């Protein structure tokens, strides 16, 4: 998969499935599930690294995890999902040269073929323009943008006509600046549907209704593995309690077999031990 293939999918009316991955194990699952693209999202800061927000994750950590994702893919090179890596907070907001160096570091040192960044202000548009002109495919991200959590919170965005018009304008500007696709997170479904109609590039929704060109989900949320699920991403299974119950069974069996062996040394050991 290449970034341009997502555009072909849109033109052909094929829905685009994007899932996050953060290591070789999750990447193998997501690839086997048939995702078209893998996002190494900065949500890994919260999901995997245990931070309270996405802000602390570093560029080096994003590269490290993207490399692990690449190692997890099993299909031959030409048939693998597209890997897109988030540029973390402050790696692209401090100037065009810094942004260029950060995106370059991702593409040079990992199997990512594209980067994602948040926002649609003039400064961000200038970054997109610079990266795209340098040959780096960029995915935009509007609506709930977790890198702006201290300003916007985790609330649904673009709830009134003025905010909707502003978001529309930013979406058009990101397309004009050269983004190959756009993530819309936690915005009204009607807005996402109409932008999907209007824009030439694919709109990939999360918490943005079903009428987008594609959908992206944080895989750990979808599998019910995260402790705090976002309200707009209901889990497909209760992965956390399934795993904990299975592990509890193993621990309990081991402990009771050791108790039994203490009182009766000929008692059988725990299964799988
Ligand atoms: O970091 C991430 O996982 C994301 C998705 C929520 C789109 O940006």
């Amino acid at each position: 998969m290449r970034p341009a293939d997502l555009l072909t999918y849109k033109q052909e009316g094929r829905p685009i499935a994007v899932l996050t991955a953060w290591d070789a194990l999750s990447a193998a699952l997501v690839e086997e599930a048939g995702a078209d693209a893998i996002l190494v999202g900065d949500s890994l800061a919260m999901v995997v690294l245990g931070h309270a927000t996405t802000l602390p994750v570093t560029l080096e950590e994003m590269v490290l995890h993207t490399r692990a994702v690449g190692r997890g893919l099993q299909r031959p090179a030409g048939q693998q999902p597209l890997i897109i890596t988030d540029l973390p907070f402050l790696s692209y907001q401090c100037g065009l040269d810094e942004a260029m160096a950060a995106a370059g570091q991702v593409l040079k040192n990992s199997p990512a073929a594209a980067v994602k960044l948040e926002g649609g202000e003039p400064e961000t548009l200038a970054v997109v323009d610079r990266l795209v002109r340098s040959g780096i495919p960029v995915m935009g991200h509007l609506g709930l943008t977790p890198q702006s959590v201290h300003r916007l919170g985790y609330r649904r965005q673009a709830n009134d006509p003025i905010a909707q018009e502003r978001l529309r304008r930013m979406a058009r500007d990101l397309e004009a600046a050269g983004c190959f696709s756009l993530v819309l997170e936690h915005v009204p479904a009607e807005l996402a549907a109409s932008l999907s109609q209007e824009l030439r590039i694919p709109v990939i929704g999360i918490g943005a209704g079903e009428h987008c060109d594609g959908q992206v989900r944080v895989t750990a949320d979808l599998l019910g593995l995260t402790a705090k699920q976002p309200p707009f991403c209901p889990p497909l299974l209760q992965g956390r309690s399934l795993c904990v119950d299975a592990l509890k069974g193993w621990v309990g069996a081991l402990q009771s077999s050791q108790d039994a062996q203490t009182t009766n040394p000929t008692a059988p050991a725990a299964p799988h031990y």
Side-chain angles (χ1 to χ4, degrees):
M1 285 292 284
R2 295 204 176 83
D5 294 327
L6 300 191
L7 188 59
T8 310
Y9 273 39
K10 172 162 181 153
Q11 286 160 352
E12 291 173 352
R14 287 170 68 172
I16 300 161
V18 185
L19 285 168
T20 67
W22 52 89
D23 61 8
L25 177 65
S26 55
L29 297 179
V30 161
E31 182 190 48
E32 214 174 315
D36 303 304
I38 293 180
L39 173 66
V40 186
D42 59 1
S43 58
L44 77 82
M46 301 167 79
V47 173
V48 180
L49 303 179
H51 294 296
T53 69
T54 61
L55 306 192
V57 71
T58 65
L59 186 63
E60 290 68 29
E61 287 167 332
M62 295 305 299
V63 169
L64 180 100
H65 283 269
T66 307
R67 289 165 70 120
V69 163
R71 288 194 292 269
L73 299 184
Q74 304 295 320
R75 290 196 206 145
Q79 296 166 30
Q80 293 179 355
L82 169 69
I83 301 179
I84 306 157
T85 294
D86 260 337
L87 288 183
F89 180 58
L90 289 195
S91 68
Y92 60 95
Q93 290 97 336
C94 299
L96 295 182
D97 289 345
E98 284 83 350
M100 190 60 214
Q105 198 169 320
V106 172
L107 263 65
K108 275 167 90 84
N109 299 317
S110 84
V115 295
K116 174 165 83 58
L117 47 74
E118 297 182 5
E121 303 296 343
E123 296 78 7
T124 316
L125 297 172
V127 169
V128 173
D129 179 65
R130 171 77 182 272
L131 299 187
V132 171
R133 281 170 185 273
S134 309
I136 300 176
V138 181
M139 176 182 246
H141 184 162
L142 293 174
L144 195 172
T145 44
Q147 292 180 13
S148 303
V149 59
H150 296 309
R151 190 162 63 87
L152 304 175
Y154 288 121
R155 287 182 297 277
R156 192 173 85 149
Q157 300 295 309
N159 294 308
D160 60 73
I162 293 174
Q164 290 182 6
E165 197 37 51
R166 193 165 162 270
L167 189 141
R168 268 180 197 287
R169 205 171 46 241
M170 289 196 288
R172 289 178 194 133
D173 288 347
L174 284 168
E175 173 170 271
C179 280
F180 73 89
S181 63
L182 174 66
V183 168
L184 282 186
E185 180 168 357
H186 209 15
V187 297
E190 310 73 46
L191 176 64
S194 92
L195 275 169
S196 302
Q197 290 279 322
E198 179 189 329
L199 296 182
R200 196 182 60 89
I201 58 172
V203 171
I204 313 291
I206 171 166
E210 56 191 287
H211 298 296
C212 298
D213 304 305
Q215 297 286 334
V216 54
R217 293 293 181 273
V218 174
T219 301
D221 290 339
L222 212 48
L223 297 178
L225 291 173
T226 36
K228 259 202 237 156
Q229 299 280 331
F232 51 87
C233 185
L236 295 172
L237 73 159
Q238 300 301 325
R240 198 178 172 89
S241 48
L242 284 172
C243 291
V244 171
D245 288 350
L247 295 172
K248 265 187 187 163
W250 184 87
V251 171
L254 177 68
Q255 288 168 343
S256 52
S257 85
Q258 281 184 339
D259 290 349
Q261 286 202 328
T262 313
T263 47
N264 171 15
T266 60
H272 307 303
Y273 183 63

